[in-house]
Amino acid sequence: MRIEIWADVVCPWAYIGKRRLERALANGLGEQAEVVWRPYRIDPTAPAQAVPLQEALADPAAGEALAACAPGLSPEGNRDRVARIAAEEGLGPRWGAAWRADPHDAHRLIALALAEGGPRLQDAVVEGVLRAHFVDALDIGSPGVLGSVARGAGFAAGERLLAEGAADGLVRELVLTGKAMGVATSPTLVVRGQALAGAQPAETVAEFVRHAARREHRAVPEEVERLRHAESLLERRDPLGALVLLRPLLEGHGRDRGVRMLAARAYYASAQLGRAEKALRELVAQAPDDSYTRYLLGRTLQRGGREEEAATHLALARAMTPEYAR
């Protein structure tokens, strides 16, 4: 049974949630579990070069972003509360981040550790990253700091892989996948399609894992899951994100009508009208009686100011499906 932790390593509740999950999985429950960390971003506007956290919190936008892992609390109230809870969880001896750092490379290192050494190595890297940020008050956006974390975790190749740009695209895809799944809090546990948001008490986490373990869950092929996630992003008004997830499907299953139709919708929604028109014309040629495809082609031409061409397709679409006349 796989337990996924969707979390941002600059969110203090991620570290507290890690300790609580470890306690929840003690006494035999963890023997049937494989814990995997996935990236989430609470502060996507973090600067490429880290800045002192106290300075950053003077920016209201930064304070709002950093408060996202504790909705309803001010940044000051969150820091005070989380410091007390961290002490109770045995995290310390000192506690508190000192830098507003971009965690993208830290997430890359964590993803690479999983790929290179499995969950055990990934866990060691996660622990090192969180300790560096919250206990040692280091800049986890720094290659030197991340290299030291990698070596300390027994991941000697990590620093080199980071320098080579490895896992950059993977992490960006995973962040989009989390968004498509509806992950909106750091941390969020996902087990067999069930989610538990927040760093819940260990007893709550244990009960959640037991319940999820009893739940029947039918895995779907990776390609189907990717297509569903891309559609979810489109429904969440992120057509560019949908296209990122669709890219491998377009390369490997480019003749599949469902894949091509979803791509055409994403092109249209992101105002890539030339690409939308090309895709839709091919789809209309294959299935002239598909009223929705013809309607979307008409709307695409209409948005491009080609009213006369659009009128023919819109009229045919409305003749086949009268509700398109509304």
Side-chain angles (χ1 to χ4, degrees):
M1 175 182 63
R2 170 169 286 189
I3 300 173
E4 291 185 336
I5 309 177
W6 294 82
D8 195 336
V9 290
V10 299
C11 177
W13 293 102
Y15 207 177
I16 291 169
K18 184 177 190 294
R19 284 292 182 270
R20 290 177 172 179
L21 176 63
E22 289 165 353
R23 290 211 317 275
L25 295 181
N27 301 321
L29 186 59
E31 294 176 3
Q32 56 182 310
E34 175 187 75
V35 177
V36 171
W37 287 75
R38 302 298 194 195
Y40 177 73
R41 294 295 299 269
I42 63 168
D43 187 13
T45 62
Q49 295 295 321
V51 297
L53 188 58
Q54 288 300 325
E55 176 184 320
L57 289 175
D59 177 356
E64 182 180 345
L66 295 173
C69 59
L73 283 178
S74 68
E76 294 77 13
N78 184 32
R79 289 200 303 278
D80 291 343
R81 179 185 176 208
V82 80
R84 291 195 301 271
I85 295 175
E88 294 169 2
E89 296 292 341
L91 299 171
R94 68 161 300 282
W95 173 270
W99 297 93
R100 184 189 183 199
D102 184 340
H104 178 70
D105 286 349
H107 286 306
R108 286 173 54 216
L109 183 65
I110 290 166
L112 286 165
L114 178 64
E116 297 290 323
R120 187 180 296 276
L121 178 60
Q122 187 189 48
D123 180 78
V125 169
V126 170
E127 182 70 28
V129 168
L130 292 171
R131 182 173 183 83
H133 187 61
F134 291 108
V135 177
D136 299 331
L138 300 175
D139 169 15
I140 60 168
S142 161
V145 170
L146 291 177
S148 177
V149 167
R151 291 190 296 274
F155 186 22
E159 187 171 17
R160 173 183 57 80
L161 290 170
L162 282 180
E164 293 171 354
D168 181 76
L170 172 61
V171 166
R172 297 184 192 280
E173 277 199 9
L174 286 170
V175 169
L176 289 170
T177 298
K179 179 179 179 180
M181 293 168 57
V183 175
T185 301
S186 172
T188 295
L189 302 184
V190 177
V191 184
R192 294 185 174 177
Q194 299 288 97
L196 179 67
Q200 302 293 337
E203 297 76 15
T204 302
V205 174
E207 180 55 32
F208 166 74
V209 172
R210 291 190 191 97
H211 176 77
R214 294 191 295 265
R215 182 175 181 267
E216 183 177 350
H217 179 65
R218 184 173 299 174
V220 299
E222 181 181 345
E223 295 82 359
V224 174
E225 188 171 52
R226 180 178 283 269
L227 187 66
R228 290 177 180 174
H229 289 157
E231 187 162 22
S232 174
L233 286 177
L234 188 56
E235 292 171 355
R236 294 171 188 272
R237 300 185 180 182
D238 185 0
L240 294 178
L243 287 168
V244 170
L245 294 189
L246 279 173
R247 189 177 300 129
L249 296 179
L250 287 168
E251 292 172 356
H253 305 273
R255 304 312 302 167
D256 182 271
R257 187 173 180 84
V259 171
R260 293 161 64 205
M261 187 65 218
L262 188 56
R265 289 171 55 203
Y267 289 140
Y268 175 79
S270 59
Q272 299 183 63
L273 301 183
R275 291 181 175 180
E277 180 186 350
K278 181 178 185 297
L280 290 165
R281 284 194 183 280
E282 292 175 353
L283 290 166
V284 165
Q286 290 179 350
D289 59 344
D290 185 328
S291 62
Y292 176 72
T293 304
R294 196 174 284 277
Y295 173 74
L296 191 58
L297 175 58
R299 289 297 305 274
T300 300
L301 295 169
Q302 194 175 56
R303 283 183 70 182
R306 296 154 65 183
E307 293 287 348
E308 188 173 340
E309 290 180 74
T312 300
H313 295 287
L314 292 174
L316 286 169
R318 289 161 183 161
M320 289 184 280
T321 307
E323 66 186 52
Y324 288 148
R326 297 174 186 171

